[in-house]
Amino acid sequence: MARGRSSQPPLFTPPGKIVLLLSGGIDSATLALLLRDAGSNVVSLFIDYGQRAAPAEWRAARKVCSRLGLLPPVTVNLSSIGKVLRGNLVQRTARSTSRAEAASRDTSDFLPHRNALLATAAAAIAADVGATHVGLGLIGGSEHRYPDTSPLFLK
């Protein structure tokens, strides 16, 4: 990621102030870059919901902010919810899954309503900091595995 601004015109009309859910992954990092280049006032938000990858995601989110010249992410600790949920995203040791079970479900890393939880927390932060929008980077075409990334969910 380059530190300079892109010379491309913005893909959209930028919101003034936006709370961006930032995990440091390709989807949220790309959205951070697009928002920054469009001139938005980006408030990056990292949420620990008990995911196994939280330490690595936190490091990546901080690195994205640093490289893009954004303020460090605001953090919210919701890790206690991960202690009561089941799924490979939140279990500290990956559950052993037979090939047949994994193939039939193909969603062992799906955590129901995760994006609803994250978006709700981000909306609360947005109201608190005076942001008019919440940003959530999603990878297109994944809604068959992750229903909370579908256009219907986002409506």
Side-chain angles (χ1 to χ4, degrees):
M1 292 180 223
R3 288 191 185 269
R5 304 260 186 223
S6 168
S7 61
Q8 298 292 328
L11 299 173
F12 53 88
T13 303
K17 190 171 192 177
I18 182 167
V19 171
L20 172 64
L21 286 157
L22 185 66
S23 68
I26 189 92
D27 46 356
S28 62
T30 299
L31 186 53
L33 174 65
L34 292 171
L35 289 166
R36 185 213 58 188
D37 284 358
S40 292
N41 178 0
V42 178
V43 177
S44 301
L45 174 63
F46 177 80
I47 299 178
D48 179 346
Y49 57 91
Q51 68 272 40
R52 289 186 351 223
E57 289 180 1
W58 171 238
R59 287 189 301 274
R62 287 191 343 249
K63 185 179 257 186
V64 167
C65 287
S66 174
R67 289 198 175 168
L68 294 180
L70 302 173
L71 293 174
V74 173
T75 62
V76 172
N77 185 345
L78 299 177
S79 61
S80 61
I81 198 164
K83 295 174 184 167
V84 297
L85 298 175
R86 288 181 293 196
N88 287 342
L89 283 178
V90 292
Q91 292 181 352
R92 294 299 170 217
T93 57
R95 185 182 70 207
S96 64
T97 305
S98 71
R99 281 185 190 229
E101 181 185 2
S104 70
R105 289 187 335 196
D106 196 30
T107 57
S108 63
D109 59 346
F110 175 62
L111 186 61
H113 309 293
R114 176 184 69 136
N115 286 334
L117 171 71
L118 300 176
T120 300
I125 299 295
D128 188 59
V129 301
T132 57
H133 292 76
V134 168
L136 172 64
L138 301 171
I139 297 176
S142 63
E143 55 271 3
H144 69 285
R145 287 187 67 195
Y146 309 110
D148 63 351
T149 66
S150 70
L152 180 61
F153 171 81
L154 295 173
K155 287 183 181 180

